[in-house]
Amino acid sequence: MTEELEQILSQLTQPDNAVIQQATIQLKQAFKDPAIIPALCAVMSGSQNPQIRQSAAVMLRLRVKKHWKKINPNDRESLKTVVLQAFMQETEHTVQHSLSQLCAVMVKHETPDRWPDLLQLLNQATKSSNPHDRQIGLLLLNKVMESNPEPFKPHYCQLLQLFSVVLQDLENPTALYYCILTLTAITAYTGTEEMNLMRSIIPSLIVALKHLIKADQSQASEAMEVFNELMESEVSIIVPHIADIVRLCLEVGSDSTLNDSLRVKALSCIAFLIKLKSKTVLKQKLLTPILQAIFPILIAAPPPGEQDPEDEEDDSGDGIDNDNPKHCSAQIIDTMALHMPPEKLFQQLMPMTQTCLASENPYQRKGGLMCLAVLAEGCADHIRTKMLSSVLQTVCQSLSDSNQVVRSASLFALGQFSEHLQPEVSKYCAELMPLLLGYLSSLNQAKVGHVTKAFYALENFMENLGEGIEPYLPTLMETMLSALNNAENLKIKELAVSAIGAIANAAKELLVPYFPPVIESLKGFLTTTTEEMRSLQTQSLDTLSVLARTIGKDVFSPLAAECVRLGLNLTDTIDDPDLRRCTYSLYSAVSTVSP
């Protein structure tokens, strides 16, 4: 059967669809034969073609995964022997990888104590004097440990001693990579007896990561996960080494020659550390070096001809939602604001922020504003009681900055203040509302990302105004209705519909005079069936729900039956979870006016 099976697997690699379909039918037939397991073993270890050896290993893995209990016990035993032999004699990396994955699936069924040959092979290969054997031994160790770390617990101390040796092997970056991934896999399962060994490995781990970064950035990026795992599982292991870890992460995060994914990993690691151990970070006097390293990232200008992601056209509008080093630097300040005493933080941070705000360089001014914006949530009390007037003045002046990047950042900051610094911010209504309204009336509607931030600021501000919104209502509604009827861009219509919901929350019955034209505009969006209008449609349903709850029973109840019919019709004709959520919310809202 072996030759026949090899022939079938060979046909599966042909570029001809008809040949592949025929071979697939033959393969299904072959799998009904109990001799399939020995035949696949023979092909996996004996075929001259690496692609076919790999195919056989993959087929065996799928078979083992689903049908281990159905495999004849003798075949199971021979498979355990053959897979290890095949692994050690294999020369192609892709096939070794598939074989190690096959072993990983088998380990879920055949625990290490029932497979002594596996332990023996791992022991020999990982300690071999031949660098290549060590490397593939560590590959196999990594795959079986990631698959089922717990049964190996009795061997953890021995493993950690092995890692301690492997991490010194700086000339073999692939071995370092597999070693660090395996360490990451077992960290969550280690207990007190492994603690001291783990702690002693950290300095070697830091050195090994530096070497891995030079050798392979994407592998290094994956390996950096080890710090997050250590912090989540047993932060006390890394406390003595926090300063060294922070230094490494700052070095990586600040190096613009490295790829963004690796820099983001490093900077996110610092944010996580601050979240868990802010007191230690302060005690070890790490606040200043962290701020001095991240500020240049936060205020850096993008490469010539490019923009920061949050200033690009397709922005979703919440300011800093992009995974890039600049966003991570802002995130670190955000985390500091949430977890450190404001007095200590502001003492270090404000001089840097003020220098940026006074700079001639627009990206430095933007960085200063982003810094103020992310402080708003964590340091809300401090800002409200000690400096609200001055920071608002700064933001208001920046709204008329000559550079759009700076104006965008000030709108984001104003949105953050409006969200987190209530109710005090509302007291500045007379100064802020005219600025925002002026902004919306003179907006160049081509820059949707920018308009988005203006609406974000306006919505957050209005939500808390209550009846104080009355003097601005005519201008607000004129602006929104004009956007609904005249804007060509669907995103701008969607933002206006959302803003009408926020206005309704604040204005309640004051909105009655504007209700007929609003409903007239919404009707066109509510009944659409096209995919491109879907997000505008769901937003219109959300706003309709807000109107049902706020505009008053007498005004809304004549529409109640029509709203329920609309909802039922939509859920019958369009299968979209977001749309269903909005229609259920609409029924709930309508039930408040028409029980």
Side-chain angles (χ1 to χ4, degrees):
M1 185 183 181
T2 307
E3 281 173 30
E4 182 193 337
L5 185 63
E6 182 158 1
Q7 184 61 35
I8 296 170
L9 292 177
S10 165
Q11 284 169 339
L12 285 171
T13 65
Q14 300 305 313
D16 182 334
N17 267 347
V19 174
I20 292 173
Q21 279 169 344
Q22 183 58 37
T24 308
I25 294 165
Q26 291 174 307
L27 188 66
K28 276 184 182 162
Q29 205 50 45
F31 264 99
K32 292 176 183 167
D33 188 330
I36 185 72
I37 298 289
L40 280 169
C41 285
V43 173
M44 176 178 77
S45 53
S47 171
Q48 295 302 302
N49 181 332
Q51 209 175 347
I52 291 174
R53 293 199 298 277
Q54 187 181 6
S55 293
V58 171
M59 304 262 167
L60 274 167
R61 180 175 53 126
L62 295 174
R63 193 75 179 166
V64 166
K65 196 173 185 174
K66 289 182 180 167
H67 305 290
W68 179 254
K69 295 269 193 313
K70 293 180 187 169
I71 298 173
N72 166 331
N74 291 339
D75 286 348
R76 283 191 223 160
E77 286 308 310
S78 64
L79 175 57
K80 279 155 63 175
T81 307
V82 171
V83 68
L84 296 180
Q85 283 170 347
F87 184 77
M88 282 321 286
Q89 71 189 32
E90 186 53 66
T91 52
E92 290 288 329
H93 182 72
T94 50
V95 187
Q96 281 166 344
H97 206 266
S98 293
L99 288 164
S100 66
Q101 287 174 317
L102 169 58
C103 289
V105 171
M106 289 166 68
V107 155
K108 287 201 162 173
H109 304 283
E110 286 296 277
T111 49
D113 49 334
R114 292 218 301 270
W115 195 359
D117 290 356
L118 172 68
L119 286 175
Q120 194 184 343
L121 171 76
L122 286 170
N123 200 21
Q124 279 172 352
T126 52
K127 291 176 181 167
S128 164
S129 56
N130 176 331
H132 177 258
D133 287 355
R134 270 202 311 283
Q135 196 172 299
I136 63 162
L138 286 158
L139 161 68
L140 181 59
L141 178 67
N142 173 236
K143 293 300 170 202
V144 297
M145 293 299 284
E146 281 184 342
S147 162
N148 200 10
E150 226 165 339
F152 287 88
K153 221 167 164 4
H155 307 280
Y156 279 4
C157 285
Q158 201 184 337
L159 276 173
L160 288 165
Q161 285 161 349
L162 167 72
F163 297 157
S164 182
V165 174
V166 175
L167 289 170
Q168 312 293 327
D169 187 3
L170 301 175
E171 299 308 305
N172 193 343
T174 310
L176 296 178
Y177 168 64
Y178 289 128
C179 170
I180 297 171
L181 291 195
T182 313
L183 178 61
T184 311
I186 70 167
T187 296
Y189 299 89
T190 51
T192 39
E193 63 258 51
E194 291 94 5
M195 288 280 195
N196 288 334
L197 274 168
M198 293 275 274
R199 209 170 277 125
S200 65
I201 282 177
I202 306 291
S204 309
L205 177 65
I206 292 171
V207 175
L209 276 164
K210 285 182 182 173
H211 280 262
L212 189 53
I213 288 164
K214 286 179 193 153
D216 187 320
Q217 290 181 35
S218 67
Q219 285 189 350
S221 177
E222 214 183 322
M224 288 291 269
E225 262 313 304
V226 70
F227 290 136
N228 286 352
E229 197 57 51
L230 283 164
M231 285 187 260
E232 270 188 359
S233 308
E234 197 40 77
V235 73
S236 64
I237 289 172
I238 63 165
V239 167
H241 308 287
I242 279 182
D244 294 330
I245 292 172
V246 166
R247 267 194 289 276
L248 169 72
C249 291
L250 288 175
E251 214 173 284
V252 174
S254 304
D255 187 345
S256 57
T257 63
L258 299 175
N259 70 40
D260 273 5
S261 139
L262 178 56
R263 294 176 68 197
V264 162
K265 267 282 168 59
L267 293 166
S268 303
C269 182
I270 295 175
F272 195 31
L273 232 172
I274 292 166
K275 182 178 168 185
L276 295 176
K277 284 283 165 194
S278 57
K279 283 183 181 160
T280 312
V281 169
L282 284 170
K283 201 185 285 177
Q284 298 199 11
K285 298 192 166 46
L286 294 169
L287 178 58
T288 307
I290 291 173
L291 288 174
Q292 285 171 342
I294 64 173
F295 248 82
I297 304 170
L298 187 66
I299 62 179
E306 289 183 32
Q307 286 185 306
D308 285 338
E310 69 270 14
D311 292 319
E312 282 170 1
E313 213 16 34
D314 59 352
D315 174 47
S316 62
D318 34 11
I320 51 164
D321 61 341
N322 306 282
D323 254 353
N324 58 69
K326 193 172 273 202
H327 166 221
C328 286
S329 303
Q331 206 176 23
I332 289 172
I333 297 172
D334 195 349
T335 311
M336 287 174 167
L338 288 163
H339 298 280
M340 288 180 172
E343 289 74 18
K344 293 206 165 147
L345 179 58
F346 276 67
Q347 190 185 354
Q348 306 275 340
L349 192 60
M350 287 329 275
M352 295 181 177
T353 307
Q354 278 153 353
T355 306
C356 290
L357 290 166
S359 165
E360 292 291 303
N361 178 324
Y363 280 95
Q364 294 197 7
R365 298 201 293 282
K366 173 191 169 174
L369 288 160
M370 294 302 272
C371 188
L372 291 177
V374 294
L375 290 169
E377 184 182 1
C379 298
D381 288 344
H382 184 83
I383 297 173
R384 276 202 303 261
T385 52
K386 296 204 166 55
M387 53 198 301
L388 185 56
S389 173
S390 63
V391 294
L392 272 179
Q393 198 180 348
T394 303
V395 170
C396 289
Q397 283 168 350
S398 305
L399 281 175
S400 51
D401 195 280
S402 59
N403 190 295
Q404 181 162 332
V405 161
V406 180
R407 295 198 300 276
S408 264
S410 61
L411 285 167
F412 173 63
L414 191 54
Q416 289 280 97
F417 290 178
S418 304
E419 190 174 342
H420 300 296
L421 305 179
Q422 293 296 354
E424 283 78 356
V425 162
S426 296
K427 293 173 188 163
Y428 291 85
C429 180
E431 291 89 341
L432 291 171
M433 254 342 237
L435 282 172
L436 282 170
L437 288 171
Y439 219 90
L440 285 171
S441 63
S442 63
L443 270 175
N444 161 18
Q445 296 197 339
K447 286 293 268 182
V448 180
H450 192 57
V451 182
T452 308
K453 291 192 185 69
F455 273 99
Y456 166 68
L458 182 76
E459 277 199 34
N460 277 324
F461 193 67
M462 288 186 310
E463 284 280 356
N464 296 280
L465 273 187
E467 290 185 358
I469 200 169
E470 189 169 6
Y472 310 103
L473 208 47
T475 318
L476 273 170
M477 290 310 296
E478 189 187 326
T479 309
M480 298 309 148
L481 288 165
S482 161
L484 290 189
N485 299 324
N486 305 322
E488 287 174 17
N489 187 297
L490 290 179
K491 179 71 181 171
I492 290 178
K493 286 183 192 279
E494 188 188 328
L495 291 165
V497 170
S498 173
I500 289 171
I503 295 168
N505 269 326
K508 311 262 187 303
E509 286 89 352
L510 293 172
L511 202 64
V512 170
Y514 305 97
F515 186 62
V518 167
I519 289 295
E520 206 44 51
S521 295
L522 291 185
K523 272 183 181 167
F525 312 145
L526 287 165
T527 52
T528 179
T529 51
T530 63
E531 195 56 48
E532 59 164 359
M533 297 276 281
R534 186 76 62 245
S535 131
L536 175 55
Q537 184 178 33
T538 50
Q539 186 57 64
S540 301
L541 282 164
D542 267 343
T543 295
L544 190 59
S545 301
V546 175
L547 290 167
R549 292 179 191 277
T550 56
I551 199 91
K553 190 172 180 174
D554 296 344
V555 180
F556 201 88
S557 51
L559 292 176
E562 198 181 336
C563 285
V564 174
R565 275 198 301 275
L566 166 79
L568 292 168
N569 185 32
L570 284 175
T571 43
D572 278 349
T573 51
I574 299 163
D575 182 25
D576 181 291
D578 250 357
L579 197 73
R580 280 200 298 280
R581 173 186 64 75
C582 295
T583 51
Y584 299 153
S585 168
L586 180 62
Y587 303 149
S588 161
V590 170
S591 73
T592 62
V593 293
S594 180

